[in-house]
Structure formats: structure tokens, C-alpha cells
Amino acid sequence: MKTSIPGAFRSFRSFNYRIWAGGAFVSNIGTWVQRTAQDWLVLTELTHHDASAVGLVMGLQFAPQLLLLPWTGFAADHFDQRKLLIATQATMGGFALALGILTLAGVVELWHVCVFAFLFGSAAAFDAPVRQTFVAELVGDDDLHNAVALNSTSFNAARMIGPAVSGAIIAATGTGWAFLLNGASFIAVLVSLMFLRVGELHRSAKADRSKGSFTQGIRYVRGRPDIKAILVMLFLIGTFGLNFPIFVSTMAVSVFHADARGYGLLSSIMAIGTVAGALLSAHQKKPQFSLLLVGSGVFGLGCTLAAIAPGYWFFAAALIVIGAAALIFTNTTNSLLQLSTEPAMRGRVMALRVGVALGGTPIGAPIVGWVADHFGPPWALGVGAASGFAAAIVAVFAIANRTPQ
């Protein structure tokens, strides 16, 4: 059953989407609380401002997106997405609680964080493509682009709250309670999945279970120049540009000498831009390839401004620009890929998208962390700027070759 809700929030006409969005928002806040606490724990408590260690943890957390790619796409296309989400969300909640207990007990070490980062990333590798394609089951193809944008709005509205909350928790009680809070937040999304009206889901066609399922997806993408261009752009920005934990933490601690609250505030300020970018995407009826050019170019510009920032608040303003550009870019890639892909192939194509966007982090994050350690955080941001400009060049060539929109 749907209610009359126009404009940028039209996906809320669906009861199932309203229920899902409520649970996801609570869980998203917890996710940002943990991300901030994990970076702070590694950078200031387990090491002495070692950006390479932050990069290592990031690499281990996102490596499974690439390592498990043949199985994550298969799962998204072949299994019941709602039941699979229940399993992945419960698993990630359990890992967060376990890390919190270790931290509160005062026995946590860097290798513990590395192991949990890899385990959490493994569960997330199965969760991400399913969660992205599940949107189509909630609202159908007509409102898919809007729902994708609203999901990003929720995730980044939580980003305005979570890091600031995390900074306050760390300052008041320590990092362990931040992890426990994230573990508890998964209860909200699990409850929302339980209360969905299963009969009102827009079930998509499931792929036949046959050998070579993953290679079928690869062959499908190889025959689509537009998809290949998007994936190349995602690799560039995902590998070298979306390393915000390194950029923000090293600039906050090493350049502006901020405490936990100041670091959390920067992450929350960045969310102002990401929410703005997500809402701009929500107003678009259909995704346009030209937005990829705009998003990647402005992302490069924002990273450049952040790198030359003369002070804390100038840097914060640059983060707003970076956040808006990053969301316009990533949301557009998400919607373009889903709407231009056959329903039975969506899970595998979206798994490729996630694998390319995040799977490059094990390569890029250690490199960016090394640059920050040896040349300074502004130079690490310069690497991010270069990735945005390189992606914009790819977009120019793709448009010149009449890439379908």
C-alpha cells in the first residue's frame, strides 16, 4: 500500500521502504560511530599517529570485497535477499560486540583490530550487493534511482550524527563503548527486515543456478562499454580517492592538532556535503552519465582545496565539497548500473561495482597512508585529487564515444 508523497521523497510511499529506512538509519548511525572509533583507536591508542596502520586496517576491511567477488554476486542473484540480509546484518552486529568487549577489557591489540576488520569486511562483502539490489524489491524500478539516493541520504545523515557521537563517547568513556553501541544498533535493521510485508516485495527474476555464473557476469560487462567506463572511474576514485579515514584523521591530528571531538566534528561536517549530494541525486528522475563527469571533476577540485587548506575551518568547508561530489558520483554509478542491467544479472554487476569501488582499497589505502606518513597529509589528499581528475578524463572519453545514457 502506498501513500501520496511527491518529489524527492517519493519512495516513502511504500510501506516496506518506510520500515526499511527507519531501521537502516539507526544502524547507519552505529556504523559511523564504529568507523570513527576504529580509526581513532588505531591512530592514537594502538600506534603513535601511524597512518600506514590505518591504511592497513582499511585494506583488510575492504579486501574481501574483491577476494569474495565470485561468491557475493552469486549469492545476490540466487538467494532470497531478505533472508541473506538478516544473516549478514546479524553477523556484523556480533563482530562489533566482540571487538567492543575486547576493547573494554583492555586487551585489544592492533592485530585484533586487523582480524575483526577482515571478518567484518567478509560479512559486508556479502551484504553490500544484496543491500543495493534489495532496493529494487522494496520500491520497484520506477522509484529505484530515488530510493538509492534516499538510502545515501540516510547513510550520510547518520554520518552527521555518528562521528560526533563517537567523539563524545570516546572522550567520556573510551572507544569500547562506541563498538558496543554499533553492535546494538543492528537490532533496529533486523527488526525492520522482520516486519516487512513480504507479499508486497517487487521480486525480481532469479538467475539459473549453473556453473560459470561469475564468468557470465564478466562476459556481460565486457560487452558493455558504458559499464566498463563506469567501473574504471569507480576503480580510480574508490582506490585512491575514497580514503576519508586517512585524509580526515591525519589532517585532524597531525596538521590541525585536534582532539577526538575535533576529529569527530570534521567527519560530521563532511556529512553536510554528502547529504546535500544525496538529496540532489534524489531530485533527479533519471541518472545521467554527464553527472559522473561533474561529480568526479568537482571531487578532484575539493581534494585540491582540502590539501592547501590554511586552517581547520577552511579544511572543513572543503570536506563539504568533497562529500557532495562523492555522493553525486557514487549514487549515479549505482543507479546507472542497476537500471541499465538485466534484472537476472544485477547482483553480479553490483557485486562487481562494490568489488571495484572498495576492493581497490587494499591497494590504495596503504599507498595513501604511506604518502601521508612520508610526505605529509596534504600530499595524500593530492593523490585523491589526481584520482578525481583522472576519472573525469575517462568520462570525457566515454561521452565522446557516445556512451549510452
Side-chain angles (χ1 to χ4, degrees), residues 48-380:
H48 183 65
H49 300 175
D50 189 344
S52 296
V54 178
L56 173 64
V57 172
M58 284 182 62
L60 288 169
Q61 187 157 334
F62 292 118
Q65 302 285 358
L66 202 56
L67 296 176
L68 301 177
L69 191 56
W71 299 278
T72 57
F74 178 89
D77 276 336
H78 293 82
F79 298 135
D80 184 292
Q81 294 185 338
R82 175 176 160 273
K83 293 179 180 178
L84 192 54
L85 282 172
I86 290 173
T88 57
Q89 293 285 312
T91 300
M92 289 189 288
F95 288 148
L97 291 174
L99 182 57
I101 291 171
L102 276 177
T103 306
L104 284 177
V107 298
V108 69
E109 297 180 15
L110 181 60
W111 73 267
H112 292 137
V113 180
C114 290
V115 169
F116 274 102
F118 186 81
L119 292 174
F120 198 93
S122 297
F126 283 94
D127 182 82
V130 181
R131 184 162 28 87
Q132 293 181 10
T133 54
F134 187 60
V135 173
E137 291 199 4
L138 292 172
V139 300
D141 284 354
D142 289 345
D143 288 333
L144 175 62
H145 180 60
N146 177 255
V148 167
L150 289 178
N151 278 359
S152 292
T153 303
S154 168
F155 187 70
N156 290 284
R159 190 178 195 166
M160 296 174 67
I161 302 170
V165 170
S166 186
I169 291 174
I170 293 169
T173 62
T175 52
W177 286 103
F179 298 137
L180 292 183
L181 177 62
N182 180 43
S185 73
F186 281 95
I187 296 173
V189 73
L190 289 171
V191 169
S192 73
L193 286 165
M194 296 292 187
F195 278 88
L196 292 179
R197 294 173 181 171
V198 178
E200 294 182 12
L201 293 174
H202 301 258
R203 299 289 191 181
S204 58
K206 294 298 179 186
D208 296 331
R209 297 193 182 188
S210 59
K211 292 183 178 180
S213 177
F214 177 67
T215 56
Q216 288 175 7
I218 296 293
R219 286 197 299 268
Y220 180 81
V221 170
R222 285 171 59 184
R224 294 286 303 274
D226 56 329
I227 292 179
K228 286 190 291 185
I230 293 171
L231 293 179
V232 170
M233 295 173 70
L234 268 171
F235 174 78
L236 290 168
I237 290 182
T239 301
F240 301 106
L242 301 183
N243 293 296
F244 301 136
I246 297 175
F247 296 150
V248 179
S249 64
T250 56
M251 289 290 287
V253 173
S254 301
V255 177
F256 303 121
H257 309 292
D259 59 11
R261 287 189 178 90
Y263 168 48
L265 179 60
L266 282 175
S267 297
S268 294
I269 289 174
M270 185 176 185
I272 296 173
T274 54
V275 169
L279 287 174
L280 285 172
S281 295
H283 277 285
Q284 296 285 329
K285 289 187 177 181
K286 289 185 178 181
Q288 302 293 328
F289 198 94
S290 58
L291 281 177
L292 297 181
L293 172 59
V294 173
S296 55
V298 175
F299 180 85
L301 176 62
C303 288
T304 301
L305 293 174
I308 62 173
Y312 180 94
W313 292 109
F314 188 100
F315 178 71
L319 289 180
I320 295 176
V321 176
I322 294 171
L327 258 292
I328 289 173
F329 176 79
T330 55
N331 278 359
T332 304
T333 63
N334 189 325
S335 298
L336 277 174
L337 287 176
Q338 290 206 59
L339 290 174
S340 63
T341 301
E342 296 174 13
M345 297 294 296
R346 276 182 182 169
R348 278 163 285 183
V349 171
M350 294 308 289
L352 278 170
R353 175 191 179 273
V354 175
V356 167
L358 301 180
T361 301
I363 302 170
I367 292 174
V368 170
W370 182 86
V371 171
D373 280 337
H374 290 80
F375 299 98
W379 284 101

Side-chain angles (χ1 to χ4, degrees), residues 224-226 229 289 393-405:
R224 294 286 303 274
D226 56 329
F289 198 94
I393 292 172
V394 173
V396 170
F397 277 101
I399 293 171
N401 287 309
R402 303 180 183 277
T403 301
Q405 297 188 13

